[in-house]
Amino acid sequence: MIDTRSNKMWGGRFADGPDAIMEAINASISFDRRLASQDIAGSRAHAAMLGATGILEASDVEAIREGLLTVLSEIEAGDFAFSAALEDIHMNVEARLKELIGEPAGRLHTGRSRNDQVATDFRLWVRDQLDAAEVGLMALIRALLAQAEAGASWVMPGFTHLQTAQPVTWGHHMMAYVEMFGRDLGRVRDARARMNYCPLGAAALAGTSFPIDRQMTSEALGFTAPMANSLDAVSDRDFALEFLSVASICAMHLSRFAEELVVWSSAQFRFVTLSDRFSTGSSIMPQKKNPDAAELIRAKVGRIMGANVGLMMVMKGLPLAYSKDMQEDKEQVFDAADNLMLALAAMAGMVKDMTANREALAAAAGSGFSTATDLADWLVRVLGLPFRDAHHVTGALVAKAEAKGCDLPELTLDEMQAEHSGITKDVLEVLGVENSVRSRTSYGGTAPDQVAAQVARWKDLVG
Ligand code: ARG
């Protein structure tokens, strides 16, 4: 039973228990229970180290080890009675351990504090999320590669200002996102490498006088090394902020792509057909098939970036070392992580399932005078015009086609020669979109061969 008059973890100097409001503002168990398995892993590593260094008796360590395993299985089975009076996951686990094994439970906290404990638990949790983000990004990249490979040579309009600019290939457009998500993957890996240092053993803030072995706990928990400064170890949350900023950039990329899918799946564009599995209907308009998943992915960046800004604000004025403000680090990170993983999975599913409408893409590719630049380039290359003059002649031809209500290739040779007498019928070759994209062979350009080469490079990278 919990002594409600004073807290049994630190109640020695307290004559009275907390006000109900105090308990409500102070308790974090409603959300930090998500750190349970990390907390128990940290405690197991700590206990084993206390045994190995002779700080605790082997029999106590064994009792603690077994007790912690029981606590973990109770939590996993949903049989654990979490208590707000016990504040947080650390005290909930320890109190249950005490019920199970008695006195040795009280020795577990030797040479550590909740400050290094929570810093360790949270790092372990964020590290798992970085690993999950890596898996999610790889799956998305593979789905994009499949699209890019199938449509490496399919023409579509490329846009600037969402106005038709120059024809590009479907594969090229897909591969642009592969590059973006590939950089997100790089950022995830960088963040993981930078954050993988162990705070455990920093104790409250100053380290401890017990002869602990921080190398041992660090290794047991899969960290690269113990953190080198105990004040820093318990007081920074930059690892969580870095996760959130990496997540924000990734969510922004997801959002941009989602926006394109919303536009592309509309009746006006019809560039893609989303599968039924990733669409919804309307309760009133029977014809509707809505891209809700894409819209929700587009929106997720708001809460993820919000978490990033929110935690930055929590941290920005805190003096060293730990302050209770830092308990506010978790919910935002949990929410951002959950939503990032969901958005990545939904996007991968949508991309895998969607059908690019080759004919609609091709029809749109040729409209809007998309090969005007090719015409100007031809005037430079074949007739030797300065580019500015070529631009002017082409502009006049575009105006003529517009007035006539046709595309550039439909102007007659006479009409073209009226703008520049040197133009021959050879120009027609560059006015076709297929030739246009095939000619963009510069490194990183939209030519199908270039796209195929990039697809092959990425397939090697992501398997
Ligand atoms: N629940 C706390 C948190 O999440 C654990 C650390 C408490 N430390 C303390 N000195 N009160 O930050």
Side-chain angles (χ1 to χ4, degrees):
M1 265 308 288
I2 299 143
D3 176 0
T4 49
R5 273 186 52 76
S6 72
N7 188 297
K8 67 176 172 181
M9 294 293 157
W10 36 256
R13 95 187 275 299
F14 283 71
D16 213 348
D19 189 274
I21 304 284
M22 178 61 206
E23 186 177 293
I25 195 171
N26 203 35
S28 54
I29 190 62
S30 63
F31 51 88
D32 70 10
R33 63 177 68 184
R34 288 187 70 170
L35 301 177
S37 71
Q38 288 78 10
D39 192 66
I40 288 169
S43 287
R44 287 183 60 192
H46 184 65
M49 180 278 292
L50 291 175
T53 50
I55 300 170
L56 288 195
E57 303 275 338
S59 55
D60 285 344
V61 173
E62 184 49 25
I64 291 169
R65 195 187 72 83
E66 280 185 14
L68 286 171
L69 288 175
T70 306
V71 176
L72 182 61
S73 60
E74 287 176 357
I75 292 174
E76 281 172 355
D79 288 343
F80 192 94
F82 291 104
S83 153
L86 289 167
E87 252 188 78
D88 58 23
I89 186 62
H90 324 295
M91 307 234 278
N92 269 266
V93 169
E94 195 181 317
R96 178 65 185 137
L97 187 65
K98 183 97 188 280
E99 283 175 359
L100 289 167
I101 67 168
E103 201 231 67
R107 300 186 192 280
L108 170 61
H109 215 49
T110 312
R112 79 170 183 189
S113 147
R114 273 191 298 158
N115 296 349
D116 59 336
Q117 197 178 349
V118 73
T120 305
D121 294 1
F122 200 32
R123 262 180 203 256
L124 289 171
W125 196 89
V126 170
R127 191 176 73 184
D128 282 350
Q129 298 308 306
L130 287 165
D131 290 342
E134 169 160 1
V135 171
L137 278 163
M138 299 267 272
L140 175 55
I141 288 172
R142 284 192 202 101
L144 286 162
L145 286 174
Q147 286 285 351
E149 190 166 37
S153 63
W154 301 356
V155 289
M156 68 178 283
F159 300 93
T160 60
H161 316 267
L162 198 57
Q163 307 288 320
T164 301
Q166 294 172 351
V168 295
T169 49
W170 170 256
H172 197 51
H173 203 117
M174 293 298 107
M175 290 307 289
Y177 283 106
V178 167
E179 293 289 333
M180 291 181 238
F181 293 122
R183 283 192 297 277
D184 291 335
L185 189 60
R187 272 184 282 271
V188 163
R189 289 171 176 162
D190 291 349
R192 191 193 196 283
R194 194 161 21 257
M195 65 92 73
N196 199 29
Y197 290 83
C198 188
L200 194 59
L205 73 165
T208 175
S209 57
F210 290 100
I212 60 171
D213 182 348
R214 293 194 58 206
Q215 193 63 46
M216 182 179 168
T217 41
S218 167
E219 259 170 44
L221 295 168
F223 287 110
T224 307
M227 290 180 76
N229 182 298
S230 61
L231 288 167
D232 172 45
V234 293
S235 70
D236 207 354
R237 293 293 182 268
D238 60 349
F239 65 91
L241 284 164
E242 193 168 352
F243 167 66
L244 290 174
S245 57
V246 167
S248 297
I249 296 173
C250 179
M252 174 276 293
H253 285 152
L254 286 166
S255 184
R256 294 186 70 176
F257 190 28
E259 161 66 8
E260 298 212 293
L261 294 180
V262 169
V263 173
W264 290 353
S265 61
S266 69
Q268 287 70 24
F269 272 74
R270 289 195 311 106
F271 284 6
V272 297
T273 306
L274 300 176
S275 73
D276 289 356
R277 286 158 27 107
F278 284 95
S279 308
T280 56
S282 158
S283 55
I284 176 168
M285 295 165 282
Q287 86 284 10
K288 292 272 275 185
K289 193 167 154 191
N290 293 328
D292 289 34
E295 293 168 82
L296 289 162
I297 292 168
R298 188 172 58 186
K300 293 294 185 195
V301 66
R303 63 203 290 173
I304 293 171
M305 187 66 211
N308 192 8
V309 175
L311 182 55
M312 196 72 90
M313 292 303 102
V314 168
M315 296 304 296
K316 78 170 189 60
L318 297 186
L320 304 188
Y322 179 85
S323 297
K324 196 60 175 263
D325 310 50
M326 287 155 64
Q327 181 164 286
E328 290 285 311
D329 58 2
K330 292 172 203 61
E331 283 166 291
Q332 315 201 48
V333 174
F334 291 162
D335 184 75
D338 290 345
N339 282 286
L340 178 69
M341 303 318 154
L342 188 56
L344 282 170
M347 186 58 98
M350 235 182 340
V351 172
K352 217 177 287 173
D353 274 18
M354 77 185 179
T355 312
N357 301 327
R358 189 175 179 177
E359 290 73 31
L361 289 168
S367 69
F369 315 111
S370 65
T371 52
T373 316
D374 299 86
L375 172 54
D377 286 350
W378 186 88
L379 293 171
V380 170
R381 204 170 49 242
V382 179
L383 302 187
L385 264 62
F387 184 78
R388 287 291 163 220
D389 296 350
H391 186 286
H392 190 84
V393 170
T394 307
L397 289 169
V398 167
K400 198 173 261 187
E402 200 165 35
K404 208 180 148 192
C406 71
D407 282 321
L408 282 174
E410 285 139 31
L411 288 174
T412 64
L413 196 55
D414 284 348
E415 285 168 329
M416 292 201 204
Q417 283 170 344
E419 294 306 325
H420 195 285
S421 56
I423 297 178
T424 65
K425 66 173 178 7
D426 290 352
V427 78
L428 282 174
E429 255 173 51
V430 299
L431 294 181
V433 286
E434 305 276 348
N435 286 341
S436 167
V437 297
R438 252 201 304 277
S439 74
R440 299 279 197 277
T441 52
S442 54
Y443 178 77
T446 200
D449 287 354
Q450 284 291 325
V451 173
Q454 293 301 327
V455 170
R457 182 173 72 85
W458 273 100
K459 275 178 132 181
D460 278 351
L461 290 174
V462 299

